[in-house]
Amino acid sequence: MTGTKIPFDPETAPCGKKSGGDRLVDDDGYGLVIRDQLFDCGCRRIRHEYHDGSIHLSAIRHDGKRVKDQIQPDHGK
């Protein structure tokens, strides 16, 4: 798998605060794509796309609580 780490400008984290951070993207070239947003505040937004086309989305606040986050479009930045 190839991995890329890209910083991003502040945006609304799952906790509701504006925070920057790093976007991590891993791709195996066969359909598996893992995109994680790691916010400086400690929050995390996760998007996993699997070989069969299914997608798993989740968001975790910096205190470890999973949230029903309004998933925003992933611009692949």
Side-chain angles (χ1 to χ4, degrees):
M1 290 186 49
T2 60
T4 306
K5 181 177 176 181
I6 305 165
F8 64 88
D9 292 330
E11 59 184 67
T12 304
C15 67
K17 297 178 182 178
K18 289 274 190 185
S19 182
D22 291 313
R23 185 172 280 118
L24 306 173
V25 180
D26 286 324
D27 181 354
D28 73 352
Y30 297 101
L32 176 65
V33 180
I34 298 172
R35 299 174 192 251
D36 288 351
Q37 272 185 292
L38 304 172
F39 292 85
D40 293 334
C41 66
C43 291
R44 183 174 180 193
R45 189 174 287 135
I46 304 162
R47 177 185 174 100
H48 293 178
E49 300 174 24
Y50 297 98
H51 296 104
D52 65 0
S54 62
I55 298 173
H56 176 263
L57 304 169
S58 62
I60 303 166
R61 292 187 341 189
H62 58 266
D63 60 6
K65 292 185 182 179
R66 192 170 217 157
V67 295
K68 294 262 185 193
D69 188 35
Q70 182 177 9
I71 303 298
Q72 299 174 359
D74 182 0
H75 301 291
K77 295 180 183 175

